[in-house]
Amino acid sequence: MYSAAAVDYQRLHDLLHDLLKARKWHKADEETWAVMCHALSKPVGKYLFSSDLENLPGEDLQIIYQLWR
C-alpha cells in the first residue's frame, strides 16, 4: 500500500489495527506521527507546522484517515 509520497502504509495499517483495538491511542498516535514525518521528509519527532501538512498529498491524508476508522 504505497502512496503519492512513496510511503508504504502497510506497517502502519497492521500496527493501528492492533493498537486501536487495544485502545492504545497514544501509541497509535505516535506511530502515525512517525509515518507522517517520513512522508514529509522530516526527522521523526519534530514538530509539524500547518504549512508542512499542506504539503502532505491528499492521498496520504486519505489513507491515514481510513486507517484510523
Side-chain angles (χ1 to χ4, degrees):
M1 175 184 329
Y2 282 89
S3 70
V7 173
D8 182 1
Y9 283 94
Q10 187 61 50
R11 180 178 176 276
L12 183 62
H13 173 270
D14 297 341
L15 283 172
L16 286 182
H17 178 266
D18 294 336
L19 292 171
L20 295 175
K21 188 175 180 179
R23 298 182 179 202
K24 294 183 178 180
W25 316 122
H26 184 72
K27 183 64 176 166
D29 185 55
E30 287 176 347
E31 293 293 339
T32 303
W33 189 268
V35 169
M36 290 175 71
C37 286
H38 175 71
L40 292 164
S41 300
K42 294 277 204 172
V44 173
K46 290 293 183 179
Y47 186 78
L48 297 179
F49 297 96
S50 58
S51 59
D52 293 323
L53 297 178
E54 290 172 5
N55 292 322
L56 190 64
E59 178 184 347
D60 289 72
L61 286 174
Q62 184 65 30
I63 291 169
I64 291 168
Y65 174 77
Q66 290 298 322
L67 292 177
W68 271 85
R69 291 192 63 170

